Amino acid sequence: MLSAALSLPFLLLGPQIRRAEPHAICISVATTTPADLTIELIGLDNYHIDQTCIELGKSLFLRFFSLRSESGFPTNQLISYQLQSAEDTDHSEFCYDGASTPRFIIPTDLTQVLHGSCRNPHHDSQDGLVAADHYQARSRDAGEFGAELLILSGDQVYCDDVAAPMLYNIHQVISLLGIYPDKGIDLTLPNTLEQQLYKRARYLPITPWRERDKTEFGYWLRKDWVHFTSLKAANHLIYFEEFIALYVLTFSSRIWSYLGDGLADLSLFTAKEQQLYQHEQQTIQAFSQALPACSRLYANISTLMMFDDHDVTDDWNLTAAWERAVYQNKNSRRIVANGIISYWLFQGIGNDNGEKTAALLPEFKRCLVKNTWQLTKFDNTIFKFDQWSYHLNCQPSVVVIDSRTQRWRNEQNFHEPSGLLDWQQLTQLEEALVGKDEVILVSPAPVFGVKSIEAIQAVFNFCGQPLLVDVENWMAHEGAARKLMQIFRRGDTPCETLILSGDVHYSFCFSVQARFSQRHNRIWQLTASGIKNEFPTKLLRCLNKIDSVLYGRFSPLNFFTKRWQMKVAKHTLVHNQNQHLISKSGISLIVLADHKLVSYQILHGNGQLSEFDLNKA
């Protein structure tokens, strides 16, 4: 725990450059006191600053700075800034190329974009954000800008798949920062955290088999309905303060030096759990050692985010049956709400500079009563909020879609996968794409995925087990799939669409064109996953071979897919013409010229680089 000789730093998290536009900039930080803090853009004037401070604990204050200028900020050039406070003035750890202050760019014409997803702290792979930081450092050292935008398209945190040492650290952070507790959940858990580690899954809410619909097999098999379907829910987060602490540990490089070494007494664990704990402790330690590089990256590049399931819980809203079971149980509903609220605070508000998301703040702040969160009424507000999608006006324009909360439910069979967007949201997406020349579309799940894997998922879905293999690809719902393909086949959609996706824990590059179309418009499916996560390599090789055999270019099976009217070409690696799927962790670098794709690379955490051949498929 915290040594008596040490005191918490004033600046705990950040600065993070979030949304950056010609007339508005959002910068987020977290501090341990409410002391005065402001931000100065060096060499610039004629702007004003609005600051929002959210008290989350006795020593945790989340702040958002909205800088606005009617005359406009300089674009496509480096802008230096510094935090000004009497508490802490040395921010050299956030600077590149020997500069005294961090610097960022407001892009109007994108030339380089970093993109990735799926960052699991206790996965054995190396952190792709470190590779992104090293790339930015090399670029700045060479007098270049590097990437102008960082896009994180899901699973920035894993709230369901939590390592035991991380959960132990979460509770240390709660104590250190005095994060206010959530009293809205009534679960019977063991008295001590040590007794809960690796055992929380058995205490999570269920629907007893007697209360299940008699039309379901589970009723006749006397099988309880488990609400939280993650296969790794042994340390699933439950309370609001736990979600908040996880974000601090994920984004803050400073908090880790104030934590203890972890559990010394592992006697409550089995031999297998003891071995697992020690291994997880090593991976978590390696994760924390990489955080200074990640913090420097966030301080020097505009970062946009979008949630996927693990930001809340695995299989979030995958089927209507899942929704019915979870949202009708007050404890399950509260746990999911905790995930969404914490996303809103640490990710969502920065995405739109509070334009729509900040409207929820007054009601949220009223939920803190006598240093305790009473969030049950606010849950209704956060579930009704439907403005998570957003656009960034630049060239190409960036369209980021929420594919989790506005789903097209299968009303005939609640156990069938829901469409990732309902008809209304698909219509709005269509309006966002029509009439533009080039667009970057951020979809957390790939629109054009690996057909063999989707076929296997379809088999599991046919057998009534869609939750077992995460059947939530775009093609799993008939209506959503057909509407989306109709959008892409229109003659007035962009000449070039770059779809940035993650989720699947492997990376690939597909190019897509509409069959029987007189217009030469191209779609690039650029999938980068994970930043710190990987698909089993041997299994991926096997699936790759199956895909090549069953769904080759001239295979008749292609005409039985929902996207048969789209011609999909799989691009291989420059250094290996037989490989088009990559399971090694990393982050992608998208290079554009005249708003069109000219290079697609994966920067790996070990310093290696994989480049896709855009000319050969």
Side-chain angles (χ1 to χ4, degrees):
M1 296 297 288
L2 181 65
S3 169
L6 298 175
S7 59
L8 289 169
F10 171 66
L11 183 64
L12 184 67
L13 183 157
Q16 292 182 340
I17 305 297
R18 298 302 312 278
R19 190 181 182 99
E21 301 175 282
H23 293 276
I25 302 167
C26 180
I27 301 176
S28 65
V29 302
T31 60
T32 55
T33 76
D36 290 341
L37 175 67
T38 189
I39 291 179
E40 177 189 5
L41 302 181
I42 298 173
L44 301 180
D45 51 19
N46 296 324
Y47 63 90
H48 67 275
I49 303 176
D50 293 324
Q51 181 179 167
T52 299
C53 184
I54 307 168
E55 184 179 359
L56 297 174
K58 294 179 180 178
S59 298
L60 180 56
F61 298 84
L62 183 61
R63 304 175 188 233
F64 292 91
F65 296 89
S66 180
L67 293 75
R68 299 185 181 274
S69 172
E70 293 183 2
S71 59
F73 298 108
T75 59
N76 303 315
Q77 67 182 61
L78 290 172
I79 299 175
S80 300
Y81 72 99
Q82 62 183 6
L83 305 182
Q84 293 184 331
S85 169
E87 300 284 341
D88 190 353
T89 57
D90 181 15
H91 304 309
S92 57
E93 64 190 280
F94 304 115
C95 302
Y96 288 125
D97 59 27
S100 58
T101 61
R103 300 182 294 172
F104 67 98
I105 296 171
I106 300 176
T108 59
D109 292 274
L110 295 171
T111 61
Q112 296 184 28
V113 176
L114 290 164
H115 163 253
S117 67
C118 306
R119 185 165 175 248
N120 188 335
H122 64 273
H123 195 274
D124 288 331
S125 57
Q126 294 171 301
D127 198 332
L129 285 185
V130 176
D133 171 73
H134 291 171
Y135 175 79
Q136 289 294 89
R138 291 193 301 270
S139 299
R140 298 287 176 90
D141 288 342
E144 302 171 351
F145 295 158
E148 303 103 343
L149 187 63
L150 170 63
I151 298 176
L152 304 176
S153 62
D155 300 341
Q156 281 66 257
V157 293
Y158 277 68
C159 299
D160 58 314
D161 181 5
V162 181
M166 181 65 92
L167 186 56
Y168 181 79
N169 289 338
I170 284 170
H171 279 257
Q172 287 192 77
V173 170
I174 293 170
S175 177
L176 282 172
L177 302 181
I179 302 177
Y180 299 132
D182 162 28
K183 296 297 184 182
I185 295 178
D186 182 22
L187 290 178
T188 303
L189 297 173
N191 293 328
T192 67
L193 178 65
E194 288 79 3
Q195 293 173 321
Q196 297 177 29
L197 296 179
Y198 297 120
K199 301 173 180 66
R200 275 194 168 186
R202 66 184 67 171
Y203 301 103
L204 294 173
I206 62 170
T207 298
W209 68 269
R210 293 179 181 84
E211 298 177 14
R212 296 186 65 174
D213 194 319
K214 292 184 179 180
T215 60
E216 300 175 1
F217 284 114
Y219 174 85
W220 301 103
L221 296 175
R222 298 189 176 186
K223 184 177 180 180
D224 298 334
W225 177 279
V226 177
H227 293 180
F228 294 94
T229 51
S230 173
L231 297 177
K232 300 179 180 179
N235 301 301
H236 199 299
L237 299 189
I238 294 175
Y239 302 104
F240 182 58
E241 62 268 29
E242 293 178 340
F243 285 83
I244 297 301
L246 177 62
Y247 271 98
V248 173
L249 287 164
T250 302
F251 287 137
S252 171
S253 60
R254 294 188 167 190
I255 190 64
W256 288 83
S257 61
Y258 298 88
L259 303 180
D261 296 330
L263 283 173
D265 183 10
L266 304 181
S267 60
L268 292 176
F269 298 162
T270 64
K272 184 177 180 180
E273 289 172 343
Q274 291 179 23
Q275 185 178 7
L276 177 59
Y277 185 94
Q278 292 169 348
H279 176 72
E280 288 176 337
Q281 184 75 1
Q282 294 175 354
T283 57
I284 292 296
Q285 183 179 5
F287 171 81
S288 67
Q289 292 170 349
L291 283 173
C294 303
S295 296
R296 183 171 67 163
L297 178 68
Y298 290 134
N300 288 273
I301 185 171
S302 174
T303 303
L304 300 177
M305 307 180 186
M306 177 48 71
F307 49 49
D308 205 5
D309 54 348
H310 294 290
D311 294 276
V312 177
T313 188
D314 192 26
D315 299 332
W316 177 29
N317 293 346
L318 196 152
T319 67
W322 187 97
E323 292 187 55
R324 180 177 60 183
V326 169
Y327 297 136
Q328 288 181 354
N329 180 283
K330 66 175 185 178
N331 289 321
S332 298
R333 179 182 171 88
R334 277 266 54 250
I335 293 172
V336 171
N338 284 338
I340 302 174
I341 296 170
S342 59
Y343 165 86
W344 163 64
L345 291 169
F346 285 89
Q347 300 189 60
I349 294 177
N351 287 332
D352 71 345
N353 199 359
E355 181 180 347
K356 298 174 181 177
T357 51
L360 306 180
L361 282 172
E363 182 181 351
F364 172 73
K365 290 183 177 182
R366 290 194 295 270
C367 295
L368 185 61
V369 180
K370 296 181 180 180
N371 293 342
T372 300
W373 293 110
Q374 298 182 8
L375 295 165
T376 302
K377 291 184 179 179
F378 187 70
D379 292 351
N380 297 327
T381 301
I382 203 71
F383 282 126
K384 290 178 182 177
F385 187 75
D386 59 358
Q387 302 294 320
W388 300 117
S389 299
Y390 57 93
H391 302 173
L392 182 67
N393 294 319
C394 54
Q395 295 295 329
S397 62
V398 179
V399 179
V400 184
I401 59 173
D402 156 25
S403 59
R404 280 286 163 188
T405 71
Q406 305 295 311
R407 295 204 155 183
W408 190 337
R409 299 174 183 88
N410 190 315
E411 297 181 359
Q412 295 180 337
N413 185 348
F414 277 15
H415 294 277
E416 286 286 322
S418 298
L420 302 195
L421 287 181
D422 62 21
W423 181 271
Q424 180 180 353
Q425 296 298 312
L426 284 167
T427 302
Q428 292 179 9
L429 174 60
E430 186 174 22
E431 293 172 354
L433 296 180
V434 167
K436 292 185 171 61
D437 292 327
E438 299 92 13
V439 168
I440 294 176
L441 173 63
V442 181
S443 166
V447 174
F448 300 94
V450 179
K451 294 179 183 178
S452 62
I453 296 177
E454 292 179 357
I456 293 172
Q457 291 175 329
V459 171
F460 276 86
N461 182 50
F462 179 79
C463 297
Q465 298 295 327
L467 300 174
L468 189 61
V469 290
D470 291 346
V471 184
E472 47 189 343
N473 59 74
W474 280 94
M475 301 302 127
H477 185 279
E478 184 79 19
R482 294 195 180 280
K483 175 60 178 176
L484 189 62
M485 293 304 103
Q486 289 174 6
I487 293 173
F488 286 135
R489 294 183 65 249
R490 285 184 55 152
D492 52 358
T493 50
C495 295
E496 178 140 315
T497 302
L498 274 63
I499 305 175
L500 307 187
S501 304
D503 179 53
V504 292
H505 301 170
Y506 50 87
S507 303
F508 57 87
C509 173
F510 292 171
S511 59
V512 183
Q513 287 183 291
R515 302 181 192 270
F516 322 120
S517 175
Q518 296 179 352
R519 188 179 184 192
H520 185 74
N521 56 342
R522 183 182 291 270
I523 301 169
W524 291 98
Q525 173 66 69
L526 308 178
T527 303
S529 180
I531 291 176
K532 197 175 188 303
N533 217 329
E534 294 177 349
F535 197 91
T537 303
K538 292 183 179 180
L539 177 58
L540 189 63
R541 289 175 183 171
C542 179
L543 293 172
N544 183 32
K545 290 180 180 179
I546 294 174
D547 190 72
S548 299
V549 172
L550 297 182
Y551 295 97
R553 179 176 296 182
F554 302 106
S555 171
L557 292 179
N558 290 315
F559 293 96
F560 294 94
T561 65
K562 297 184 180 69
R563 53 176 183 258
W564 70 270
Q565 292 180 319
M566 310 296 289
K567 183 170 58 177
V568 180
K570 298 177 287 187
H571 290 260
T572 58
L573 297 177
V574 171
H575 65 275
N576 186 347
Q577 294 295 318
N578 295 318
Q579 183 180 0
H580 69 272
L581 301 179
I582 303 175
S583 62
K584 187 182 299 182
S585 66
I587 192 165
S588 70
L589 174 65
I590 299 111
V591 181
L592 308 171
D594 297 325
H595 311 151
K596 292 181 171 56
L597 181 69
V598 295
S599 175
Y600 182 56
Q601 303 173 347
I602 305 295
L603 311 178
H604 300 292
N606 61 3
Q608 295 179 350
L609 181 147
S610 299
E611 182 173 1
F612 288 92
D613 190 337
L614 302 184
N615 297 315
K616 295 182 180 179

